[in-house]
Amino acid sequence: MAAVRCQWALAELEQASISERTCNKVIATCGRQIQWQRAIQVLFQMVEVRQATSISCNSCMVACSRASHWQKALHLMRCLRGFIRHDGVTYKQAARAAGESSWRSGLRLLQEGFERMTEADVIHYDLALSLRQSAGSDHWPEALHLMKNMVEAQVQADVRSYSSSMTFEAAWPTIGLLFQDLLQRMEADEYTCNTAVSAAPWVRAWCLLRRKEHGMSVVSHNAAMAGTPWFKAVQVLHTLETGGLKLTAVSSGTILSQSRDMEWQRPLWFLSRCQSRDIQSNSIVQSNVLAAHVDSGHWQETLGNVMAYHSRGGNLNVALKTLSLSAFSQAASWQKALALSASERIDVVLLNALVTCCARVARWQEGLEVVCGSLVRHSLRASVVTFNAALSACAAGRQWQLAVNLIEEMEGQRLAPDSLTLNSMMLALGEAGFWQHAFEILKMFSSCSCEANVVSFTTAITACPAHQWPQSLVLVQQAASDAAGETSWAAAVTTLGRAVRWREAMCLGHIAMEGTHDAVMLAYATAVEKMSLEMRASCDSLPPVMGNACSEGCYQMLGGGSAQVTELRACKKELKELIETRNCHPILVRLAWHDSGTYDQRIKEWPQCGGANGAIRFDPEMNMGANAGLDKARGYLQKIHEAHPTVSWADLIQLASATAIEMAGGPVIKMKYGRVSVTGPEQCAGPQSRQGFKGNAGLPDAAPGADGTFGCGAKTPEEHLRNVFGKKMGFTDQDIVALSGAHTIGRVFKERSGACPFGYGEQAASKYTKGSCIVRKDKKSGCGMVGGAAWTKNWLTFDNSYYTDYKQAMDDDDLMWLPTDACLHEDPEFKKYFYKYAGDQAAFFQDYASAHKKLSELGCKFDPPAGFQI
Ligand code: HEM
């Protein structure tokens, strides 16, 4: 129709029977219909009859630009310069067209237009701003300059001017200032609101959202939620709902994407909130909720939900299906897992998860059947991962023949095996007693271009029959280069135990003791126990070839050492239960450190030198002011000691502390045991027994006294710490900073040290030490006795937040920061380590573990003298 109208207009034009106005209309119509050639034709005919004006030229340029022929538009402008007087609109039009390829040419044309027309309106400025915008974010100073020019030229900026200049990636303060300016002049539109909220720091964004007069939309709220921790996002959500806006699936998705960081009940509560507001759940939301619950072991609570969602016709995406399968496998509900997979469109990822699930609950047969069936039915191509999952199912089901078939099938499909494939194959063969074949596979690693890892060696060693024990030693040697070779050592010790090669087992055990490999020690102890009493007796007459080291290891492990190990391990188990139920990690750490903390390196005699000797259990030490509150911890350990009287108090106290650190998520400390305890109160360190210290046997003071000096006469906290830890106890600056990191857990009480205004009970608690606070590493509820003030927010979690969040601790009245903590980031020597640990948790854990071990051995007498590990 449009084409016909254009045709007609051209015909009329030839007869010069129509007016200039009609011609312009025709050009505009052609432009709308993307008939740019026709528009040009009309324009040139108008030029011929001298009817063309700047309006005709402008419409024609629009027609060309609309058809993406911006060069043509520019060409037109240039060609017609001699015939038509261009106006401001022509220049803007040309600038817009030129800006398509080069913002510089666009700006040049705008400038030219400005010089000729000598006036610039808001459209001119908006165009200049958007051209600058396409020039890149580093042009924001020019954008601001343009905004300033507008003010000077008394041109009223409009919302577009602001939104263009705010879109530059300038830092928040600039965007904030522009937005404030905009709000003073006019209503902000949704785009500017969103830009401001997304750029603003969280608190500012939240404040902006709460000032409802700006008409912030749901999108702005979502922008403020994105990238913030969930608990802040929930506050935004609250603002959204109190502002009368409706929660959307995007908002709920944003919050639930962090469901893994929440305590497990919260995602469910959140989901029901969405449901009560009729927000359609989707598989992303469901999988987020399920993921959080599977992680925290509360899969039952949501699995029902997911299934209900599924039965309502909700789509299960791959993540959701895989998670559901993992939940089913935890529930040992393999039938449900199979049913779920059968009802769904199956893919390779799901198949892999399914086999793993079945293998985990020892239903390898069913798993394999489904896999094989599905592969054929759905013409799927199995991946290496599928084969690996199937192979490990075969290994679990001792189905070596099937495993061999699978390997052949892999070869047929030209899939190269990886180390996991070979490991599973070795396991299947080893389990079936084909140790020679397992060894052959180990040799295949290099030809398959994959590396044998610790699992490979362990599997091969485990496959060794007793009479092949020398082979296990060869293999363990090969595995020894691997730092994680501990399990292969353990496997070798077990093989030697089976072969009753007790001397070799002891040698390995001793080497392991040096390297403190827990798993080897365990295997070693089990192997030793299995050996006959006769052999134990002959241990004392070891031939010299075994060396002194071996006989000492033999003595330690066989001569009563193993009984001590067993007792200490039993204590550790009970301690774990105690800590798990009472959440008393910090007080146990403090008890152990205050037992060691009496140590004075200037005193050479035992037990006068103090240290980790169990003296804190007696009143003279326990009643020292610095130890206020620690009798509670003594009470906890008393019961365990009564059940295990052969374990020394000194060992028990240190074991409790190391276990507490471990359970709070801290490093596993390679502790040594066998401490001899003091036997009576007369062996305690007297409060004033330490030269240069007024009291507390030289334990540190939380703050200087009324005269401004510490108990050692130091005027500054750093001097005090160096007197206590350096001069008295022999620690380095690095040790001091690392040990102080123990304050990442624990609290200060008004009733104990009196170093803070927060005390016992809910009423006197800080906002982070209330009964409802989640502070444990596993995000479970419970925090022991309520009250006091902590250094960090998650004060039952051992991490480096003591270093990373110190500014918060200083600013927040509900957190603790003692002068002795503050000097660690102020003193030039201390602060090197402080910032190192803030940036590197692994470094902190490593240095902390070594300083803690040193602290736990101060002033100790061990029996046997070399001590032992458990
Ligand atoms: C650097 C010098 C230190 C000073 C001035 C200091 C001071 C304090 C103070 C005042 C308390 C609060 C006691 C209360 O009111 O209940 C405390 C608690 C604690 N301290 Fe230290 N401490 C120092 C070093 C250490 C070290 C080296 C460790 C461990 C390696 C440690 C571990 C703890 C723990 C775990 C708590 C929490 C106890 C609880 O929650 O019951 N402190 N410390």
Side-chain angles (χ1 to χ4, degrees):
M1 186 62 195
V4 173
R5 217 178 299 144
C6 289
Q7 207 64 50
W8 166 82
L10 288 172
E12 290 288 296
L13 205 66
E14 267 166 27
Q15 294 157 22
S17 63
I18 54 169
S19 68
E20 173 218 326
R21 226 170 126 231
T22 319
C23 286
N24 286 345
K25 274 191 182 165
V26 173
I27 295 177
T29 312
C30 292
R32 276 196 299 277
Q33 305 300 328
I34 325 285
Q35 301 267 345
W36 58 277
Q37 295 101 326
R38 292 228 161 98
I40 293 178
Q41 222 177 330
V42 175
L43 178 67
F44 278 105
Q45 290 195 12
M46 286 177 81
V47 172
E48 267 176 35
V49 294
R50 296 185 185 278
Q51 271 195 3
T53 61
S54 59
I55 299 176
S56 336
C57 176
N58 294 347
S59 329
C60 202
M61 284 170 76
V62 170
C64 294
S65 301
R66 197 170 272 161
S68 302
H69 287 291
W70 52 268
Q71 297 101 324
K72 288 264 176 336
L74 286 178
H75 187 67
L76 262 185
M77 185 199 174
R78 277 187 220 111
C79 288
L80 296 182
R81 245 180 209 155
F83 304 96
I84 300 170
R85 200 179 130 70
H86 292 320
D87 61 8
V89 180
T90 319
Y91 281 101
K92 281 175 207 142
Q93 201 53 49
R96 208 167 278 132
E100 291 287 330
S101 76
S102 150
W103 59 271
R104 273 204 185 84
S105 325
L107 278 178
R108 214 178 299 122
L109 277 164
L110 258 190
Q111 183 61 24
E112 200 183 317
F114 177 65
E115 279 161 13
R116 283 170 190 249
M117 307 299 134
T118 63
E119 64 171 52
D121 54 10
V122 64
I123 303 174
H124 175 104
Y125 280 105
D126 283 354
L127 189 54
L129 278 166
S130 75
L131 286 167
R132 285 277 171 207
Q133 202 180 323
S134 48
S137 55
D138 48 343
H139 281 253
W140 66 268
E142 283 93 332
L144 291 185
H145 192 67
L146 275 170
M147 292 292 283
K148 220 169 103 202
N149 283 355
M150 275 174 101
V151 177
E152 280 166 12
Q154 296 187 332
V155 174
Q156 183 71 45
D158 60 11
V159 179
R160 277 192 64 181
S161 331
Y162 281 101
S163 60
S164 299
S165 41
M166 280 167 68
T167 314
F168 283 90
E169 285 170 29
W172 155 249
T174 318
I175 293 191
L177 287 174
L178 282 168
F179 191 61
Q180 282 306 332
D181 199 33
L182 162 77
L183 293 179
Q184 276 165 16
R185 290 164 193 265
M186 65 200 84
E187 275 286 286
D189 66 352
E190 193 173 337
Y191 182 79
T192 41
C193 286
N194 293 347
T195 315
V197 169
S198 346
W202 182 79
V203 183
R204 299 282 168 100
W206 187 58
C207 292
L208 283 176
L209 292 169
R210 277 156 54 98
R211 284 175 55 190
K212 297 185 183 59
E213 70 268 24
H214 307 328
M216 294 282 180
S217 67
V218 179
V219 181
S220 319
H221 285 77
N222 290 348
M225 282 184 213
T228 52
W230 66 267
F231 47 88
K232 289 185 177 176
V234 169
Q235 289 188 49
V236 174
L237 187 71
H238 187 66
T239 318
L240 183 147
E241 291 197 319
T242 51
L245 295 170
K246 210 166 159 346
L247 180 70
T248 64
V250 177
S251 334
S252 60
T254 310
I255 296 186
L256 278 170
S257 65
Q258 300 188 42
S259 58
R260 281 193 149 114
D261 297 336
M262 304 176 190
E263 46 186 309
W264 70 269
Q265 300 95 331
R266 216 173 270 272
L268 259 193
W269 163 82
F270 197 74
L271 200 64
S272 67
R273 186 169 167 160
C274 294
Q275 276 161 2
S276 68
R277 284 159 181 74
D278 280 341
I279 295 170
Q280 283 294 317
S281 184
N282 58 30
S283 55
I284 298 176
V285 166
Q286 290 286 347
S287 53
N288 277 329
V289 177
L290 186 57
H293 287 194
V294 169
D295 277 4
S296 63
H298 289 93
W299 46 268
Q300 293 104 321
E301 282 83 352
T302 32
L303 203 48
N305 241 336
V306 175
M307 290 303 111
Y309 157 79
H310 184 41
S311 61
R312 285 195 304 271
N315 166 45
L316 296 188
N317 64 7
V318 172
L320 193 51
K321 282 186 231 166
T322 315
L323 278 164
S324 308
L325 284 178
S326 142
F328 278 133
S329 76
Q330 285 186 40
S333 283
W334 56 275
Q335 296 98 327
K336 286 196 181 154
L338 288 183
L340 173 71
S341 329
S343 68
E344 281 305 311
R345 241 183 309 123
I346 202 122
D347 57 18
V348 175
V349 179
L350 194 63
L351 274 185
N352 299 348
L354 184 65
V355 192
T356 315
C357 160
C358 288
R360 196 187 285 174
V361 289
R363 305 303 305 205
W364 58 271
Q365 223 157 353
E366 287 82 354
L368 282 181
E369 273 166 21
V370 174
V371 173
C372 299
S374 306
L375 287 175
V376 176
R377 253 198 323 282
H378 302 279
S379 317
L380 292 172
R381 203 174 131 69
S383 65
V384 177
V385 183
T386 323
F387 276 106
N388 288 350
L391 276 168
S392 56
C394 289
R398 294 167 182 261
Q399 295 297 311
W400 66 271
Q401 299 96 328
L402 249 175
V404 173
N405 291 348
L406 282 170
I407 288 279
E408 280 169 8
E409 179 70 28
M410 267 183 97
E411 272 170 16
Q413 294 197 18
R414 295 185 184 285
L415 285 173
D418 60 12
S419 21
L420 216 65
T421 321
L422 298 179
N423 287 349
S424 306
M425 194 59 208
M426 268 203 291
L427 190 63
L429 291 167
E431 289 281 328
F434 293 110
W435 55 272
Q436 298 98 325
H437 291 93
F439 287 179
E440 286 305 312
I441 301 241
L442 191 62
K443 288 184 201 144
M444 279 168 60
F445 274 80
S446 52
S447 60
C448 292
S449 317
C450 37
E451 227 174 287
N453 54 26
V454 65
V455 181
S456 328
F457 286 108
T458 309
T459 315
I461 295 170
T462 312
C464 271
H467 67 278
Q468 284 293 326
W469 64 266
Q471 192 62 35
S472 73
L473 289 182
V474 174
L475 290 171
V476 88
Q477 213 170 4
Q478 287 175 19
S481 55
D482 193 324
E486 183 178 343
T487 48
S488 53
W489 283 47
V493 174
T494 310
T495 309
L496 293 170
R498 274 205 313 267
V500 205
R501 301 302 304 191
W502 55 277
R503 288 184 187 175
E504 288 78 1
M506 274 187 289
C507 274
L508 267 190
H510 188 70
I511 301 168
M513 213 155 57
E514 292 285 299
T516 61
H517 295 306
D518 287 351
V520 194
M521 295 304 296
L522 193 69
Y524 178 47
T526 324
V528 164
E529 262 171 37
K530 278 190 186 154
M531 291 176 205
S532 71
L533 273 171
E534 263 167 88
M535 285 176 169
R536 289 189 189 197
S538 62
C539 161
D540 287 337
S541 55
L542 271 178
V545 73
M546 297 300 286
N548 291 338
C550 187
S551 55
E552 194 188 320
C554 171
Y555 163 74
Q556 283 170 21
M557 295 308 294
L558 300 182
S562 60
Q564 273 174 282
V565 169
T566 315
E567 280 295 290
L568 272 156
R569 282 198 192 135
C571 285
K572 184 163 182 177
K573 200 163 158 251
E574 286 172 36
L575 281 165
K576 281 188 172 173
E577 280 161 23
L578 170 84
I579 297 168
E580 175 63 29
T581 47
R582 298 231 169 229
N583 290 301
C584 56
H585 321 53
I587 202 168
L588 295 178
V589 175
R590 187 159 193 248
L591 178 77
W593 128 242
H594 279 213
D595 193 29
S596 311
T598 57
Y599 179 69
D600 191 335
Q601 61 175 348
R602 298 162 299 183
I603 305 172
K604 299 297 167 206
E605 301 78 34
W606 189 91
Q608 289 88 326
C609 61
N613 57 19
I616 200 166
R617 75 185 191 279
F618 294 119
D619 285 346
E621 272 194 30
M622 185 54 86
N623 293 341
M624 289 193 308
N627 291 334
L630 289 177
D631 48 343
K632 190 168 182 174
R634 172 177 62 182
Y636 290 146
L637 298 189
Q638 182 74 44
K639 294 191 190 90
I640 300 184
H641 191 262
E642 279 161 14
H644 303 276
T646 56
V647 169
S648 76
W649 262 101
D651 267 356
L652 181 60
I653 291 172
Q654 297 304 328
L655 172 68
S657 170
T659 310
I661 300 272
E662 213 176 301
M663 287 185 69
V668 176
I669 303 162
K670 294 173 178 173
M671 299 284 286
K672 188 159 87 168
Y673 295 98
R675 288 171 190 78
V676 177
S677 290
V678 294
T679 47
E682 69 288 351
Q683 289 176 310
C684 287
Q688 275 106 33
S689 59
R690 301 309 187 229
Q691 196 194 340
F693 291 86
K694 280 190 201 142
N696 289 319
L699 281 162
D701 305 323
D707 63 350
T709 60
F710 288 83
C712 60
K715 290 199 172 57
T716 62
E718 54 272 27
E719 191 189 342
H720 178 53
L721 290 188
R722 288 190 176 109
N723 284 343
V724 174
F725 287 91
K727 284 193 190 145
K728 188 176 78 96
M729 298 166 79
F731 281 112
T732 62
D733 279 358
Q734 173 178 322
D735 292 330
I736 296 175
V737 183
L739 282 174
S740 302
H743 285 162
T744 193
I745 58 169
R747 293 165 287 170
V748 178
F749 292 90
K750 185 169 81 180
E751 295 83 352
R752 296 183 185 171
S753 61
C756 79
F758 299 97
Y760 296 159
E762 194 75 29
Q763 288 296 315
S766 71
K767 64 181 178 219
Y768 306 113
T769 57
K770 307 250 182 234
S772 57
C773 293
I774 301 294
V775 290
R776 284 173 54 125
K777 164 123 182 85
D778 54 14
K779 308 277 180 240
K780 285 191 189 158
S781 56
C783 59
M785 189 185 76
V786 171
W791 283 264
T792 62
K793 289 184 184 164
N794 291 326
W795 50 268
L796 283 182
T797 305
F798 197 99
D799 55 18
N800 67 341
S801 55
Y802 171 82
Y803 305 99
T804 51
D805 298 352
Y806 79 93
K807 282 200 181 124
Q808 234 175 328
M810 288 170 80
D811 293 345
D812 193 334
D813 289 342
D814 282 53
L815 287 175
M816 274 315 296
W817 206 248
L818 299 170
T820 43
D821 298 305
C823 76
L824 303 178
H825 47 81
E826 282 162 4
D827 178 85
E829 274 311 302
F830 285 152
K831 77 177 178 195
K832 285 188 216 159
Y833 305 107
F834 193 94
Y835 291 120
K836 177 179 166 194
Y837 299 149
D840 186 349
Q841 176 161 287
F844 165 49
F845 275 21
Q846 192 178 353
D847 293 353
Y848 179 82
S850 109
H852 184 114
K853 180 170 158 60
K854 192 163 147 189
L855 180 68
S856 78
E857 290 171 16
L858 290 180
C860 289
K861 193 157 83 173
F862 286 96
D863 178 23
F868 58 88
Q869 271 134 3
I870 63 165

